[in-house]
Amino acid sequence: MELAFIPSPSRGVVHLGPIPLRGYAFCIIIGVFVAVWLGNKRWVARGGQPGTIADIAVWAVPFGLVGGRLYHVITDYQLYFSDGRDWVDAFKIWEGGLGIWGAIALGAVGAWIGCRRRGIPLPAYADAVAPGIALAQAIGRWGNWFNQELYGKATDLPWAVKITSTTDGRVPGTYHPTFLYESLWCIGVAVLVIWADRRFNLGHGRAFALYVASYCAGRFWIEYMRVDEAHQVLGLRLNNWTALGVFLLAVLYFVLSARSRPGREEIVEPAASGQADQESTEAVDSVDTAEATGDDPAPDPTEPKPKADKV
């Protein structure tokens, strides 16, 4: 007897007049805004300029969306190019289907282009946005809830998700909400990266490597629970092998980077450092000029004012 479950939306799109508002796209957009907002705060705290994260995201986000879609279409090509399927559906990104592996890979290419245009080291940028990306994934996974996809084996647990759609061979019932498991895991990854970054002063891409490794660890067991159709290699889903391979690469990078470049970058954005040096030089020059002309230099607002003698 089903006492409790997570209901699925009756539809994944709401029309605001002639404008369709799709839940999947809405979750992705909110996730991007959260990632940029948090990344900007972390970038400024590291000595960068406000707005730099958003400027580079203009390159990274479109590349990431294209990469995510390409990975999904290539690894699940039977959904679009087999008999009875319409290849035009491969372009309908709002219906779901973004592979995080392709999104991160091609998104990194876009970020690299943006970083080169501003003279910024890509590893420093990656460290700043790492926890924000994890939170963006946590929010984006709820888009799968709107589309009634990415669920696991059948279960009667109180937090099971109730599937009502019969599209693409779905069988109505209650299942493990793997989208929810991954969302919660990504929140934990974001908290872990923020804590470790502050505790161990991570730099040179190691905060990003920690995000990648910890995400892959969770994705491995969550992927193992899913029941949707997927290609398998040696008894494991393709995404399991991808998670394992990327995990090992991230750990290897973390170790080698810690040995070759310990600590954190002193300067993450040369333009910001140059602006601070220029302001300091101008302040010194104004004092020197005042002393040369005999004028009193402008008072330093940070110095305490002398107290008047009591009568």
Side-chain angles (χ1 to χ4, degrees), residues 32-44 48-62 110-111 113-115 117-118 120 125 128-129 269:
V32 169
F33 274 104
V34 169
V36 171
W37 170 78
L38 181 57
N40 182 71
K41 289 179 65 68
R42 288 171 52 81
W43 184 253
V44 172
Q49 291 181 320
T52 296
I53 294 295
D55 291 343
I56 298 177
V58 171
W59 289 91
V61 172
I113 294 174
C115 287
R117 290 169 61 89
R118 298 188 65 119
I120 294 172
Y125 178 85
V129 300
E269 189 166 4

Side-chain angles (χ1 to χ4, degrees), residues 231-263:
H231 295 288
Q232 294 196 359
V233 179
L234 299 179
L236 288 178
R237 295 164 66 96
L238 177 61
N239 281 334
N240 281 115
W241 288 109
T242 303
L244 179 60
V246 175
F247 171 84
L248 294 175
L249 290 175
V251 172
L252 179 62
Y253 177 88
F254 190 99
V255 174
L256 295 179
S257 176
R259 291 179 178 178
S260 61
R261 293 180 294 178

Side-chain angles (χ1 to χ4, degrees), residues 131-212:
I133 294 177
L135 290 180
Q137 289 177 249
I139 297 171
R141 274 308 178 202
W142 283 90
N144 302 124
W145 175 66
F146 280 100
N147 286 352
Q148 297 198 36
E149 58 188 1
L150 297 192
Y151 50 87
K153 300 176 182 179
T155 181
D156 58 357
L157 291 172
W159 57 84
V161 61
K162 186 175 182 64
I163 300 299
T164 59
S165 173
T166 58
T167 305
D168 293 332
R170 297 187 183 99
V171 178
T174 55
Y175 299 87
H176 278 284
T178 52
F179 76 89
L180 175 61
Y181 298 160
E182 186 168 339
S183 179
L184 295 175
W185 183 270
C186 287
I187 294 175
V189 169
V191 173
L192 171 65
V193 173
I194 293 174
W195 170 82
D197 193 25
R198 293 176 177 175
R199 175 66 177 82
F200 302 105
N201 206 34
L202 301 178
H204 301 285
R206 289 189 290 279
F208 185 80
L210 177 61
Y211 145 70
V212 173

